[in-house]
Amino acid sequence: MITIALAKGRTLEGILPLWTAANLPVPADLDDSRALVFEESSEQYGIVRFLLAKPADVPTYVSFGVADIGIVGKDVLIENPKDVYELLDLQAAQCKLCVAGRPEDKDTRPRRVATKYPRLADQYFRSQGVSVELVTLSGSIELAAVIGLADRIFDLVQTGATLAANGLVVFDEVLDVSARLIANRSSYRMKRNLVDEISRRITSVLAAEVGR
Ligand code: AMP
């Protein structure tokens, strides 16, 4: 039995094509179910259990060992480091951590920044030599700039559609983000063959994509 914690939302959507192309077991009714735990049995992997978790919680499930491996964005791993192995860059669910805001704020000094990444935002603005007030929100960060709660947002941008729909623009690109395969340290020792086989399959799909 192997248990895999998956970050719900964009990360899961982004990695499913890769996961499927790697011929790894996928829960059949993932899309139209509200269930949070799925089990599939596979000849090669035995019982594969999937936990669908909030992205920020995936490293926690993996570090406690209730999930052997997990898939989560690099943003989450940097913002809140946990004691897990980072095995592989899946090169999927790619996006950028950006500073953005209203066009009229572009040339003003940053004062108040809304984000769900207070640690990374703090590091970034310190590195720019500016001291800002951070407002930590848990989602729809763009709203804070639209209604003037903050003069900057520090958030993920994938297609740019959400910024555009809200009249916001990117001021700076801070970090490239993609989904990562992580593993619990003792699971990696005890279930090394299984985990390595999963990594190997994904790596060969990624290599074939590069060669195409
Ligand atoms: P987009 O409109 O495609 O640029 O996406 C921007 C919105 O989706 C923002 O609210 C982001 O916080 C969120 N978002 C974009 N990419 C990701 C990702 N890989 N994981 C989680 N949230 C994301």
Side-chain angles (χ1 to χ4, degrees):
M1 148 98 91
I2 185 160
T3 301
I4 306 173
L6 299 173
K8 282 194 287 190
R10 299 262 185 137
T11 307
L12 178 55
E13 283 164 28
I15 62 96
L16 269 182
L18 172 65
W19 196 260
T20 311
N23 245 324
L24 293 164
V26 180
D29 48 356
L30 196 57
D31 284 343
D32 43 34
S33 166
R34 298 182 83 83
L36 299 172
V37 182
F38 294 85
E39 273 188 15
E40 286 290 308
S41 42
S42 119
E43 228 169 77
Q44 182 166 15
Y45 300 98
I47 294 173
V48 182
R49 189 162 61 169
F50 296 91
L51 313 181
L52 298 198
K54 280 237 174 203
D57 297 334
V58 167
T60 306
Y61 286 108
V62 174
S63 67
F64 276 95
V66 290
D68 300 301
I69 59 176
I71 294 181
V72 68
K74 181 71 176 172
D75 51 320
V76 172
L77 295 171
I78 306 185
E79 176 64 23
N80 193 2
K82 289 275 180 325
D83 185 26
V84 296
Y85 286 131
E86 185 181 319
L87 299 179
L88 197 59
D89 179 350
L90 302 179
Q91 298 165 40
Q94 283 164 325
C95 54
K96 285 183 195 296
L97 197 50
C98 292
V99 180
R102 293 180 302 186
E104 59 267 36
D105 286 329
K106 184 160 176 34
D107 297 319
T108 62
R109 196 176 70 79
R111 290 177 191 279
R112 199 190 277 158
V113 181
T115 187
K116 46 176 194 267
Y117 304 97
R119 194 181 137 108
L120 282 166
D122 182 58
Q123 270 172 19
Y124 170 81
F125 285 100
R126 273 176 201 271
S127 76
Q128 303 287 304
V130 279
S131 131
V132 296
E133 180 186 359
L134 293 174
V135 180
T136 303
L137 299 173
S138 55
S140 298
I141 312 298
E142 295 85 357
L143 182 59
V146 173
I147 54 153
L149 169 64
D151 52 78
R152 299 285 188 284
I153 60 168
F154 185 90
D155 194 25
L156 296 179
V157 177
Q158 192 172 49
T159 62
T162 309
L163 290 183
N166 290 288
L168 305 174
V169 293
V170 172
F171 296 167
D172 196 10
E173 293 180 352
V174 179
L175 182 75
D176 287 320
V177 170
S178 56
R180 306 297 160 110
L181 180 68
I182 60 172
N184 172 270
R185 288 179 185 276
S186 70
S187 297
Y188 191 57
R189 279 195 304 274
M190 318 263 290
K191 303 185 183 179
R192 179 127 191 191
N193 289 346
L194 267 183
V195 177
D196 280 348
E197 173 62 12
I198 291 171
S199 304
R200 196 189 58 71
R201 285 191 178 220
I202 295 172
T203 309
S204 62
V205 173
L206 292 175
E209 280 173 3
V210 169
R212 225 184 284 140

